[in-house]
Amino acid sequence: MKDALAIHRWLLSHQIHHEIVRLPRALTCADDLPAILHAEPASCIRVTVFEVTTRASREPVAVVTTVASPPRPGAVGALLGARRVRPAPAFLVNSATDYAATSVSPLLLPEELTVLIDERLADPDDPDELVYSPTGERRTALRLRTLDLLSLTRGKYVDLQATRHKTVRMPGSREVRPVMGLPRCESPPALL
């Protein structure tokens, strides 16, 4: 499993100024960062891993957002054209990210993992603003500049807050499917 030391060494090799912050109490999940550090939820980064089922496969997808705006499964499903999106179980998060499931860092994620980044992170008010991120350990967090975090985090920038993504239940099916746009006037209304 990756930890604060692996992240620290990697950031040093990239000559990125950062700080590993010792937490006064243990994290139960990344959502605890604002309360423990007395920081704004918008300055605390979280990674949510979903299990996404498409026609061809079932795979984990990591979504990087802030604690203030967690991703909705419907939005992720609509972006990927998925049949089903659900939070990934802990064992899948551990194996897909090589981090503890409760504190996944956006750095050093495996190349084969699909990573989506909330595009609102790419437009900070101040690029030198400091953000906090989990390190894979329950007792530490990473503090670095937003610009540095974004330059080192690989993934695709997406709009997770586009007009409300909707899901509908298709007649005669148990599956819920994302709706990508408004129905045409001549089509019958979808059953909910």
Side-chain angles (χ1 to χ4, degrees):
M1 289 281 180
K2 294 177 185 144
D3 59 5
L5 183 58
I7 292 172
H8 174 67
R9 287 179 176 161
W10 187 72
L11 289 171
L12 285 176
S13 71
H14 284 82
Q15 299 180 351
I16 300 295
H17 181 71
H18 65 282
E19 181 181 357
I20 301 294
V21 179
R22 192 95 164 114
L23 301 177
R25 66 177 199 263
L27 288 172
T28 56
C29 66
D31 293 342
D32 294 343
L33 280 173
I36 292 174
L37 294 170
H38 305 289
E40 292 295 320
S43 67
C44 296
I45 305 298
R46 70 179 277 173
V47 177
T48 306
V49 180
F50 291 105
E51 184 177 23
V52 176
T53 305
T54 61
R55 285 185 189 266
S57 66
R58 180 184 299 167
E59 64 181 44
V61 173
V63 182
V64 181
T65 61
T66 64
V67 171
S69 57
R72 295 184 322 270
V76 174
L79 288 167
L80 299 174
R83 290 181 154 193
R84 181 177 176 186
V85 176
R86 65 182 183 138
F91 73 89
L92 180 59
V93 176
N94 293 347
S95 64
T97 64
D98 203 25
Y99 283 107
T102 57
S103 54
V104 178
S105 173
L107 301 174
L108 293 175
L109 292 171
E111 290 293 324
E112 63 274 3
L113 180 65
T114 302
V115 178
L116 303 176
I117 303 169
D118 190 345
E119 70 180 13
R120 290 174 294 170
L121 290 174
D123 190 24
D125 296 331
D126 178 15
D128 290 329
E129 180 182 350
L130 296 174
V131 292
Y132 297 92
S133 162
T135 61
E137 295 178 356
R138 296 181 63 203
R139 292 267 181 194
T140 60
L142 172 68
R143 180 171 66 182
L144 74 165
R145 293 181 329 142
T146 305
L147 186 61
D148 292 334
L149 177 73
L150 295 176
S151 68
L152 295 171
T153 303
R154 64 155 199 87
K156 180 180 178 185
Y157 287 88
V158 295
D159 180 11
L160 292 173
Q161 294 298 315
T163 57
R164 284 289 240 186
H165 301 284
K166 299 177 185 175
T167 56
V168 296
R169 187 173 309 278
M170 301 307 285
S173 172
R174 291 184 178 199
E175 288 188 20
V176 175
R177 293 189 174 183
V179 175
M180 300 296 269
L182 297 173
R184 293 184 182 174
C185 294
E186 65 269 9
S187 66
L191 299 175
L192 295 177

